[in-house]
Amino acid sequence: PFDDNDGDGIWDSGNPSNNTYQYQGYAISGDGTDDNITVPEDVFELQIFTMSAWVNIKDTNQNPIFGNANSQLYYGYHFRVNADTPNVSFSSTTFNGAALDKVESTTTLNTDEWHHVAVTLSGSQIDMYVDGVLEGSDTSQQTLVYDTTMYPMIGEDTVRSGYEDNFNGQISDFRIYNTSLNSSQIEQIYNASFEDQTNLIAQWKLDDATGTSAADSSTQVNDGTLNGGPVWFNPDVNIGALTMPATGIYHATSGTTT
């Protein structure tokens, strides 16, 4: 069985290897239509950072894990599961939407499987990890550019009408650090053994279980706002979880999804 013995949203015992993924516990479940979490704008306007999350896709359409662009889908960057492949990518764009750089993973993310994904950026170096393993690197990343107003969102990539993509599946334990963690530290996050919060500027565990806010468990109090009509509930196991009242909904059980 899977057990969260101390209430931190991470399974402390169990054998996830039989399912080729580790199960993370709390999650937000999006319907791929209009669900997202908006977060404070200034948190993500960085040149050096680490972003990580647990993800579980429901389809092989484009599934944005996190988007940070202006109202025209320009500037900023996108952290997503690509359509069809589907692997993980991080791409950045200029003031007119032209590409600055892109890095991709090699692992194919199957539907109804949990995977831990992470991207680190420091100067011209950008690295992509899946399940604690480095899978893609690039040393030509240019300086990220940000507009006066940006729209950072978990589970959606833009506010521009007609260009939106939304995550269909589950996202859990989304974090951002204002430093580029090394490969050993990324592996520790994957194995739930990384405890250093010195550079942690936001962590949304998504274990709130009530209300329309996603609490930031870091010391920075960068709470997010849920959009798309979400409701909280407790699924088959004793965890807090959030699902969206629309088509394509599923929730997590102990080691499987339904």
Side-chain angles (χ1 to χ4, degrees), residues 43-202:
V43 177
F44 292 92
E45 295 183 9
L46 304 169
Q47 299 294 337
I48 300 174
F49 61 73
T50 298
M51 283 191 292
S52 73
W54 284 88
V55 299
N56 186 345
I57 60 173
K58 188 65 175 178
D59 61 32
T60 56
N61 296 325
Q62 184 162 278
N63 280 286
I65 301 167
F66 180 78
N68 190 19
N70 71 357
S71 61
Q72 296 300 306
L73 192 55
Y74 300 158
Y75 295 89
Y77 51 84
H78 302 277
F79 186 27
R80 58 168 65 107
V81 181
N82 296 318
D84 300 325
T85 313
N87 61 350
V88 185
S89 70
F90 177 91
S91 59
S92 53
T93 56
T94 66
F95 67 94
N96 62 1
L100 278 176
D101 196 22
K102 183 176 183 178
V103 64
E104 296 182 276
S105 70
T106 56
T107 293
T108 296
L109 274 61
N110 297 319
T111 57
D112 297 320
E113 286 186 0
W114 282 96
H115 290 276
H116 185 262
V117 296
V119 59
T120 65
L121 173 65
S122 179
S124 61
Q125 180 74 37
I126 184 168
D127 295 320
M128 178 70 69
Y129 297 82
V130 175
D131 296 332
V133 178
L134 177 63
E135 293 199 352
S137 295
D138 191 273
T139 58
S140 60
Q141 173 66 51
Q142 301 178 54
T143 300
L144 295 175
V145 289
Y146 299 103
D147 203 355
T148 303
T149 302
M150 302 289 288
Y151 297 89
M153 296 178 287
I154 299 171
E156 188 168 350
D157 54 4
T158 181
V159 296
R160 184 176 180 181
S161 179
Y163 290 81
E164 310 97 327
D165 286 304
N166 294 79
F167 194 89
N168 186 8
Q170 295 176 318
I171 301 174
S172 177
D173 191 30
F174 189 94
R175 308 182 185 192
I176 183 166
Y177 298 81
N178 62 1
T179 189
S180 179
L181 299 179
N182 61 41
S183 58
S184 176
Q185 292 168 319
I186 297 296
E187 185 178 13
Q188 289 176 53
I189 294 176
Y190 167 66
N191 289 317
S193 60
F194 188 67
E195 299 180 356
D196 186 353
Q197 297 192 13
T198 304
N199 297 107
L200 182 67
I201 60 173

Side-chain angles (χ1 to χ4, degrees), residues 28-33 35 58 112 168-170 228-231 233 242-252 257-258:
I28 184 173
S29 184
D31 61 13
T33 303
D35 303 324
K58 188 65 175 178
D112 297 320
N168 186 8
Q170 295 176 318
V231 293
F233 77 108
L242 179 69
T243 190
M244 308 299 180
T247 59
I249 296 169
Y250 68 112
H251 63 273
T257 56
T258 61

Side-chain angles (χ1 to χ4, degrees), residues 189-244:
I189 294 176
Y190 167 66
N191 289 317
S193 60
F194 188 67
E195 299 180 356
D196 186 353
Q197 297 192 13
T198 304
N199 297 107
L200 182 67
I201 60 173
Q203 181 182 12
W204 295 278
K205 294 181 179 180
L206 305 174
D207 59 356
D208 309 73
T210 186
T212 58
S213 295
D216 173 19
S217 62
S218 79
T219 61
Q220 304 303 307
V221 198
N222 290 305
D223 294 348
T225 301
L226 280 54
N227 305 284
V231 293
W232 294 97
F233 77 108
N234 286 328
D236 300 1
V237 291
N238 187 24
I239 60 174
L242 179 69
T243 190
M244 308 299 180

